[in-house]
Amino acid sequence: MLRFNNKPFECLKWEGLLSSAYALLGFSLEKDLKALGVALILDKGAEAPKYDCLEVVGPKDPEPSYSCPIMAVNGAANLVEDYDILVSDGDGAHEEELIRASKDRFLFLHVHGDNFERLSALPLGNNVRVTVQLWYPGLFCVPALSDGHRALVLARSLAKEVKVTGFGKGEQDPRTKRALIHPVKERKVNVSNALYLLGQFHDLY
């Protein structure tokens, strides 16, 4: 079992915060529940490699140092040729990158209510571990609201040292998505940051 701060992820505690966050953002927990059946099918139960260090690379002008193996976050995979792990919900990373990572590298694929039908059509390989927002038997719940924070949680569970590059405030590289973050997306990132810090400093996980 992957661990964070030497404890199993406690997603039942997380769900109490998540329901409040979803209400604030106008998202649907019911749609996420509907996605769980597809998530079970997509999940290959693959075991992610462990590292001494990992560099988490985001999609904003990514310039990794390559001093550690690379964990690409979403659209960063379109720009960084040499990465080892991809963390994505398919909203930013090209479909061919999702497929390539699932076959030749390692893919943490986040499945939720707005993407499960599209992701279920992809011819994915076996190097896949599905992540979800809700606790469910046989699935890997990671308590984080955004791909960036999800990558940080995962990286800290896989490596002794974590470096972070390629994240900007309020902007995304236009080669990966939009030039400016939509207000709803920006609100989601802000809420995700608050929940991530709450988990860090108040021992949620």
Side-chain angles (χ1 to χ4, degrees):
M1 177 183 295
L2 294 177
R3 294 177 179 268
F4 180 56
N5 287 346
N6 297 318
K7 294 183 179 181
F9 298 150
E10 296 184 21
C11 277
L12 292 178
K13 290 183 180 180
W14 160 251
E15 284 181 24
L17 294 176
L18 186 65
S19 60
S20 298
Y22 269 31
L24 178 65
L25 296 167
F27 296 166
S28 171
L29 280 174
E30 288 74 19
K31 290 174 70 176
D32 273 11
L33 285 168
K34 187 177 179 181
L36 293 174
V38 172
L40 275 171
I41 296 171
L42 290 174
D43 185 58
K44 306 299 183 183
E47 188 70 26
K50 298 282 188 173
Y51 301 94
D52 288 329
C53 68
L54 264 177
E55 186 170 2
V56 178
V57 179
K60 179 64 176 88
D61 296 326
E63 295 182 358
S65 67
Y66 293 105
S67 58
C68 302
I70 302 297
M71 174 182 276
V73 180
N74 228 345
N78 306 334
L79 306 173
V80 177
E81 177 64 26
D82 217 5
Y83 64 87
D84 301 88
I85 295 177
L86 173 58
V87 177
S88 179
D89 64 355
D91 185 15
H94 296 155
E95 288 187 357
E96 54 265 33
E97 287 298 333
L98 297 174
I99 296 167
R100 180 168 72 144
S102 74
K103 294 180 177 180
D104 302 329
R105 302 176 186 195
F106 193 92
L107 173 63
F108 280 112
L109 183 66
H110 187 67
V111 176
H112 55 72
D114 292 329
N115 70 3
F116 70 96
E117 293 178 334
R118 173 169 50 89
L119 295 180
S120 66
L122 296 180
L124 298 176
N126 291 321
N127 298 330
V128 179
R129 190 69 196 267
V130 166
T131 64
V132 292
Q133 292 281 25
L134 305 173
W135 182 88
Y136 194 79
L139 288 175
F140 185 33
C141 174
V142 179
L145 190 57
S146 71
D147 282 312
H149 290 121
R150 191 172 300 113
L152 289 174
V153 172
L154 291 166
R156 291 186 59 173
S157 71
L158 296 174
K160 299 174 184 176
E161 178 185 1
V162 176
K163 302 178 181 180
V164 181
T165 58
F167 289 91
K169 183 174 176 55
E171 297 181 356
Q172 287 180 282
D173 192 305
R175 292 171 293 175
T176 65
K177 207 172 181 185
R178 298 175 294 273
L180 295 176
I181 291 181
H182 188 278
V184 173
K185 173 73 171 180
E186 186 172 13
R187 193 180 312 132
K188 176 185 173 183
V189 170
N190 289 336
V191 172
S192 180
N193 188 57
L195 293 177
Y196 179 77
L197 291 175
L198 183 65
Q200 290 288 298
F201 298 121
H202 291 86
D203 205 24
L204 173 65
Y205 311 123

